[in-house]
Amino acid sequence: MNNIHWRDRLRYRFENTLARGTVAIIGWLALVSLIIVLLAAIALVVFGLGTDPDDPASRYGFFEGAWQSMMHALDAGTLAGDSGWALRGLMLLVTIGGIFIVSSLIGTITAGLDSKLTELRKGRSRVIEHDFTLILGWSSKVYSLIGELIVANENQKAPRIVILADRDKVEMDDDIRAKFSSTKNTRVICRSGDPLDLDDLAVVSPNNARSVVILAPEGDNPDIHVIKSVLALTNNPNRRKEPFHIVAEIRDEKNLEAAELVGNGEAIYVRGEELIARVTAQTCRQSGLSVVYTELLNFDGAEIYIKPEPNLAGKPFRHAIAAYKDSTVIGLMRSDGEVLINPPMVLLCRPSDSIIAISDDDDTLVLDQHQPPAPDMAAIAHGTPRAAKPERTLLLGWNAKAESIIRELDNYVAPGSELIVMCDRDVRDTLLALSKSMQRQRLRFARGDTSNRARLDALNVPSYDHIILLSYNDLPVQEADAQTLITLLHLRNIAEQHNVDLNIVSEMMDLRNRALAQVAKADDFIVSDNLVSLMLSQLAENRVLDKVLRVLFSADGSEIYIRPISDYIEVDRPVNFYTVLEAAARRGETAIGYRKMQYSDDAERGYGVKLNPRKDEIVKFAANDMIVVLAED
């Protein structure tokens, strides 16, 4: 301690003040400037210098000398007006000192401004907004999520979407601008930071958010990141008193119990893998079903709404389904939260019940004041339901969802069905373990490259009722989608050569590749990121929908089916949708739409799918058209 010199102490303190940033440097420059000005003013007074060396009256006083010294320090041109070599010499020294100081000052201010602008561009300033949607994390789902929220916010005043992710703010802004030429009336605000860090989380003011969406990151153990993000909100010492509205994605069902514990009733979890597996299993057996699900889950078109309707109290559900001309009733929600999708037609509505309906908007869900027209009873077909028959399914490719898809498919196929898996991974042990739990189908395995035409020909592809094409998620996204596209083109070529229609469900990892896949005219596409994003956005806007969607996507109870219209209506006979409703109701089913097969390849017409049609609209169905219903099986 005794070896420390006083000059070392002064230097240490000086360096500490400089470390405080731009303001400290400007302060030191101002101090040096003041010292130079004061010393020059003192010299002017002591040596009796003035504008005219021969005139004593022109000598500078202290304050005038200080002023002149400051002017010389700030403006080198002032030196040209001086006379007398003594004054010129003194002011030259002041001017030289001023040049160094002013130059340093300009450089310091410029560097300080650049540093501040850089800091602002890094996204570290606090968000001062209220009633906004907060997205924590970044993945390929963020684009679909933002797109849906933009549509949902069109009727809102000054809506905001705030994103906190461990990415550069400028990169996030650029990516969003590249994806969306216009965000309409919604402003998207990005901030850089770790959603798990409480200090970073405070930057986006989560206590002011209307809802919080947590995206599972790409990479290993994404559920751990999601659970920690929920914990950072619910267990934050500075959290708000009101419950949060959190929507998060969980990949592995084994982590759901832990997630529910940290969510403490404030978080809703979307099981992405399970959702995609269930929809894939259902859609592979019913061409066009993915379009129905997409239409129900996005905000552009018909959506699911829940509305109390005491005027239906005491009326049977069969009456309720025909009571709305512009909306399609699909079920009831009891006062205790119980959801009944396609309940028995004789079930009576209670005064406290809410109607669950598909409608274009919440203000179109209005009870019709007029008695609905009588259905055309002569147009209703009286055939018996078709008996289920064993089916053959071909699964090409393999990823983490394959096991769930196989399990789900076993819930829907008829006994005696068969599923063949072909991929270039050795999954025989996995299939052997799965076989033990199969009730209705037996499993077979064929090792091979799914993009190899010879291997596909050897499988006799036209002999299968359904084909599921999965991407290899252990490959880069674009490479996996490229392989899927090649396989898809081979399958379509096989279909053309054999003059058959193949029912193919394809998985695309990147939503942007969907347009490329449409060239191949695939029947349905299950775009994983897109479907999960649609579910997240719906629940972010209305958490009550969670109960409805859980029942609707469950393997138990009523589900969505697409069936031949000829089983319900005499074809080539114009009818309104009241008649279609009655035909389905007689089977204990609820009709929610139809599919015109003449538009099955027309994306502009939703591939022929029409949900929530006006009930008084007259439609003439062809023999191959389909009806969309909610039914038990």
Side-chain angles (χ1 to χ4, degrees):
M1 191 72 177
N2 295 330
N3 294 330
I4 299 177
H5 198 271
W6 63 269
R7 285 176 299 187
D8 296 328
R9 295 182 185 275
L10 289 178
R11 180 183 298 174
Y12 174 73
R13 291 175 181 174
F14 175 69
E15 290 175 352
N16 282 343
T17 57
L18 291 182
R20 295 177 182 175
T22 303
V23 176
I25 296 174
I26 292 175
W28 275 111
L29 291 174
L31 179 60
V32 173
S33 301
L34 179 61
I35 292 173
I36 292 175
V37 168
L38 292 177
L39 290 176
I42 293 172
L44 288 173
V45 173
V46 170
F47 294 107
L49 301 178
T51 56
D52 186 354
D54 299 326
D55 183 7
S58 65
R59 295 174 180 174
Y60 291 122
F62 178 79
F63 291 106
E64 182 64 23
W67 175 259
Q68 291 297 325
S69 299
M70 187 174 67
M71 291 300 100
H72 282 75
L74 294 177
D75 184 6
T78 309
L79 188 64
D82 294 336
S83 59
W85 286 108
L87 179 62
R88 289 173 180 171
L90 178 62
M91 290 306 175
L92 177 61
L93 295 176
V94 174
T95 301
I96 292 173
I99 290 173
F100 282 106
I101 292 172
V102 171
S103 299
S104 300
L105 181 63
I106 293 173
T108 300
I109 293 175
T110 303
L113 288 175
D114 287 342
S115 176
K116 191 64 178 178
L117 290 174
T118 302
E119 183 180 348
L120 290 174
R121 286 174 65 84
K122 286 182 178 178
R124 299 300 302 167
S125 60
R126 186 179 178 184
V127 174
I128 305 177
E129 300 284 353
H130 288 82
D131 199 31
F132 57 89
T133 301
L134 174 60
I135 300 175
L136 299 180
W138 187 279
S139 71
S140 55
K141 302 179 186 65
V142 75
Y143 303 111
S144 300
L145 182 58
I146 292 174
E148 287 302 312
L149 292 176
I150 289 173
V151 176
N153 290 334
E154 285 183 354
N155 60 350
Q156 303 295 321
K157 182 179 179 181
R160 298 288 187 267
I161 299 173
V162 179
I163 303 174
L164 175 66
D166 198 7
R167 291 190 66 202
D168 182 73
K169 170 183 163 42
V170 178
E171 291 182 2
M172 289 190 286
D173 288 335
D174 290 343
D175 287 349
I176 292 172
R177 276 193 295 266
K179 187 66 177 178
F180 303 98
S181 58
S182 171
T183 56
K184 301 180 182 179
N185 63 324
T186 300
R187 182 184 173 195
V188 182
I189 303 168
C190 297
R191 291 291 181 267
S192 295
D194 185 357
L196 304 182
D197 189 301
L198 297 185
D199 293 330
D200 290 349
L201 194 59
V203 171
V204 291
S205 304
N207 290 336
N208 297 333
R210 174 167 53 91
S211 59
V212 182
V213 180
I214 301 177
L215 296 179
E218 308 291 347
D220 298 331
N221 298 321
D223 289 351
I224 301 301
H225 187 280
V226 171
I227 292 173
K228 287 183 177 179
S229 296
V230 174
L231 191 62
L233 290 168
T234 58
N235 205 38
N236 192 320
N238 298 318
R239 62 156 295 164
R240 68 190 189 193
K241 295 181 180 179
E242 299 79 12
F244 282 107
H245 176 189
I246 303 171
V247 183
E249 177 193 1
I250 287 290
R251 299 277 183 88
D252 194 337
E253 190 174 1
K254 292 183 294 185
N255 297 320
L256 186 59
E257 185 176 355
E260 295 283 4
L261 288 175
V262 301
N264 197 28
E266 300 176 73
I268 299 172
Y269 296 100
V270 175
R271 286 168 280 180
E273 301 290 344
E274 179 184 338
L275 170 66
I276 299 306
R278 183 159 294 154
V279 174
T280 301
Q282 294 177 4
T283 304
C284 78
R285 304 178 62 250
Q286 304 178 78
S287 177
L289 189 57
S290 66
V291 181
V292 175
Y293 282 132
T294 302
E295 177 73 11
L296 286 177
L297 291 177
N298 66 22
F299 288 100
D300 189 11
E303 303 167 43
I304 298 176
Y305 293 94
I306 303 171
K307 179 184 178 182
E309 195 61 81
N311 292 327
L312 290 176
K315 304 289 182 62
F317 182 73
R318 189 166 187 163
H319 173 86
I321 61 176
Y324 297 83
K325 183 167 60 176
D326 298 317
S327 303
T328 302
V329 176
I330 63 173
L332 302 172
M333 177 177 282
R334 299 297 198 189
S335 58
D336 59 358
E338 181 186 8
V339 171
L340 304 173
I341 299 296
N342 183 42
M345 293 295 161
V346 296
L347 181 70
L348 299 181
C349 299
R350 300 174 183 173
S352 58
D353 285 348
S354 294
I355 290 293
I356 305 172
I358 303 171
S359 190
D360 290 337
D361 207 310
D362 53 357
D363 57 4
T364 61
L365 185 53
V366 179
L367 199 65
D368 196 356
Q369 300 300 317
H370 303 287
Q371 185 73 18
D376 183 359
M377 305 302 292
I380 297 177
H382 298 285
T384 58
R386 304 185 185 189
K389 61 179 182 178
E391 304 167 20
R392 299 185 75 228
T393 305
L394 175 63
L395 193 153
L396 300 174
W398 191 267
N399 58 36
K401 293 184 285 292
E403 293 184 51
S404 298
I405 292 172
I406 294 172
R407 290 193 188 95
E408 286 296 329
L409 198 58
D410 194 58
N411 295 324
Y412 301 105
V413 297
S417 297
E418 183 181 48
L419 185 143
I420 291 85
V421 177
M422 189 181 85
C423 64
D424 58 8
R425 275 63 165 168
D426 189 359
V427 295
R428 283 173 292 187
D429 292 341
T430 302
L431 292 178
L432 183 61
L434 278 172
S435 297
K436 298 176 181 179
S437 62
M438 295 293 102
Q439 301 293 324
R440 303 180 180 183
Q441 60 183 349
R442 67 188 184 97
L443 307 181
R444 292 170 52 195
F445 175 66
R447 183 76 177 265
D449 182 3
T450 58
S451 60
N452 187 305
R453 176 60 184 267
R455 293 291 295 144
L456 293 175
D457 287 334
L459 287 172
N460 190 18
V461 170
S463 66
Y464 293 91
D465 300 296
H466 321 295
I467 300 175
I468 301 173
L469 181 54
L470 297 181
S471 299
Y472 293 105
N473 58 6
D474 55 352
L475 297 176
V477 171
Q478 297 305 322
E479 183 179 342
D481 279 356
Q483 187 164 348
T484 301
L485 285 170
I486 292 172
T487 306
L488 193 56
L489 290 169
H490 283 322
L491 293 174
R492 284 303 168 188
N493 183 252
I494 292 173
E496 291 176 1
Q497 289 183 354
H498 291 81
N499 194 26
V500 295
D501 291 326
L502 296 178
N503 185 12
I504 306 171
V505 173
S506 306
E507 179 188 34
M508 287 291 160
M509 305 296 288
D510 191 334
L511 181 62
R512 292 170 294 183
N513 291 325
R514 181 171 184 172
L516 297 175
Q518 286 174 349
V519 176
K521 297 182 179 180
D523 295 305
D524 288 283
F525 292 94
I526 303 300
V527 185
S528 304
D529 287 353
N530 189 41
L531 280 176
V532 175
S533 299
L534 294 178
M535 181 80 84
L536 291 171
S537 59
Q538 285 283 348
L539 296 178
E541 292 297 306
N542 185 1
R543 69 178 301 145
V544 181
L545 279 180
D546 179 51
K547 296 180 180 180
V548 177
L549 295 178
R550 285 181 185 272
V551 175
L552 190 61
F553 285 95
S554 172
D556 300 325
S558 294
E559 301 157 73
I560 299 176
Y561 290 91
I562 301 180
R563 292 173 170 169
I565 190 70
S566 57
D567 291 351
Y568 297 78
I569 298 293
E570 298 292 342
V571 297
D572 296 326
R573 178 168 181 156
V575 295
N576 58 27
F577 203 69
Y578 287 110
T579 302
V580 177
L581 278 176
E582 177 62 24
R586 292 186 171 205
R587 297 169 176 246
E589 302 171 0
T590 303
I592 63 174
Y594 54 81
R595 187 184 190 195
K596 302 284 287 184
M597 297 307 295
Q598 69 183 100
Y599 306 121
S600 60
D601 293 328
D602 190 344
E604 296 295 325
R605 294 176 177 263
Y607 303 96
V609 174
K610 175 68 174 177
L611 293 185
N612 185 38
R614 281 182 59 94
K615 295 183 177 61
D616 57 356
E617 181 182 277
I618 302 298
V619 183
K620 186 177 181 180
F621 293 104
N624 63 338
D625 287 341
M626 312 294 284
I627 182 176
V628 184
V629 297
L630 287 165
E632 286 285 345
D633 52 31

